[in-house]
Amino acid sequence: MCTLDVLNIKRKMSFPVSIYVLSVWLGFLCVMFVCLWSGTWRGGFAWDGSFLQFNWHPVLMVTSLVVLYGNAIVLYRVPLTWSRWWCKRAHAGLLFVAMVLSVLGVCAAFDFHTANNIPHLYSLHSWTGISTVALFTLQWFVGLCAFLLPWTPLAFRAHLKPLHIWMGIAIFILSLITSLSGINEKLLLTLNGRNGSNTKPYTTLPAEALFANSFGIAVVIFGLLVLKLLFGQKWKNPESENETDRPLLTDAR
């Protein structure tokens, strides 16, 4: 048995399966939280410029930039039996779905603001949100050209890889920050007890506030678990960091 095989066995044995399973479960829980919040307390969904259209915004953004994105970036840490080429495809595919959903989420917010004469991009949440989506889109297209297209120079891949990894983690952290600020902003704007609203103010901590705050805590825990999996050196796959060779034809089939 060669040294690389021994290292791979040790890496697989040290991988924290319980943390990974918990992160996947929390990801589903976050999606359930935001769907129930928008569907139960906020009245449901539509695409007609009303408040019901805006309800798509948190659902799409959390599902894409937090849950799908978080699962995509830890894919290389999971001790799968796939080849590196198939890991790249799965990584890029999950991120593509996340990118499409995030753009739809931004469209839902912009359409709602336009239909109701609300200014665009006036809050800190909107600034960090649009920056995150823009960076994510740029990151995906650069990653596609650099790491999936076969004619990209290997030296360029090797030099870009550290920046690609760092930027991916930075985008995920920005996504968590933006999600938390969005939850808080939504609660402050809707649970104000003013303008004829029949809801209790946020300061009295009504049931919706408790639910949304719990949702925010779930997002934080999910993010911490993903970062734990990303920064664990014991289960880091050295092959996934290697960009000095091209995938064999047998790997790409």
Side-chain angles (χ1 to χ4, degrees):
M1 185 178 292
C2 66
T3 304
L4 183 58
D5 290 336
V6 173
L7 291 176
N8 281 332
I9 292 174
K10 289 183 178 179
R11 181 180 67 86
K12 291 178 180 179
M13 292 179 63
S14 64
F15 182 76
V17 177
S18 59
I19 293 179
Y20 178 67
V21 172
L22 181 59
S23 71
V24 172
W25 179 80
L26 272 172
F28 281 114
L29 185 64
C30 288
V31 175
M32 289 177 59
F33 260 118
V34 70
C35 288
L36 287 173
W37 184 21
S38 296
T40 301
W41 275 285
R42 295 293 103 207
F45 304 95
W47 200 277
D48 54 5
S50 67
F51 282 93
L52 299 183
Q53 176 172 337
F54 187 84
N55 287 343
W56 280 112
H57 176 70
V59 171
L60 292 170
M61 302 311 282
V62 169
T63 302
S64 60
L65 288 178
V66 176
V67 179
L68 285 178
Y69 192 98
N71 280 280
I73 61 177
V74 300
L75 195 61
Y76 285 110
R77 297 293 184 263
V78 184
L80 301 170
T81 58
W82 303 349
S83 67
R84 181 162 59 92
W85 179 243
W86 278 108
C87 281
K88 282 186 176 183
R89 284 183 171 184
H91 176 75
L94 281 174
L95 291 178
F96 177 74
V97 175
M99 181 177 64
V100 172
L101 293 180
S102 67
V103 171
L104 288 174
V106 170
C107 290
F110 271 75
D111 286 352
F112 166 73
H113 280 213
T114 301
N116 294 274
N117 296 317
I118 300 174
H120 298 298
L121 302 176
Y122 66 88
S123 67
L124 178 60
H125 166 71
S126 63
W127 288 14
T128 58
I130 202 68
S131 299
T132 303
V133 174
L135 287 173
F136 176 28
T137 304
L138 176 64
Q139 167 91 338
W140 190 88
F141 280 104
V142 171
L144 173 68
C145 296
F147 302 110
L148 284 179
L149 298 183
W151 52 78
T152 306
L154 296 178
F156 177 73
R157 289 185 182 182
H159 282 90
L160 183 64
K161 189 63 175 285
L163 177 61
H164 183 75
I165 295 173
W166 178 85
M167 184 63 72
I169 296 172
I171 291 171
F172 181 65
I173 293 174
L174 280 173
S175 299
L176 296 174
I177 294 172
T178 303
S179 296
L180 294 176
S181 66
I183 293 170
N184 194 54
E185 181 179 294
K186 181 68 174 177
L187 289 171
L188 290 173
L189 290 175
T190 56
L191 302 183
N192 53 34
R194 300 192 301 270
N195 300 323
S197 173
N198 58 1
T199 61
K200 295 181 179 179
Y202 188 19
T203 52
T204 64
L205 206 62
E208 181 178 354
L210 284 171
F211 187 87
N213 286 351
S214 301
F215 164 44
I217 296 299
V219 169
V220 170
I221 298 174
F222 173 79
L224 292 175
L225 292 177
V226 168
L227 293 175
K228 170 65 176 178
L229 293 171
L230 283 176
F231 289 112
Q233 297 297 317
K234 291 182 180 180
W235 50 85
K236 188 176 183 179
N237 186 358
E239 293 182 0
S240 67
E241 307 298 324
N242 180 24
E243 291 295 339
T244 58
D245 60 345
R246 300 188 189 277
L248 299 174
L249 290 178
T250 54
D251 292 334
R253 290 173 186 169

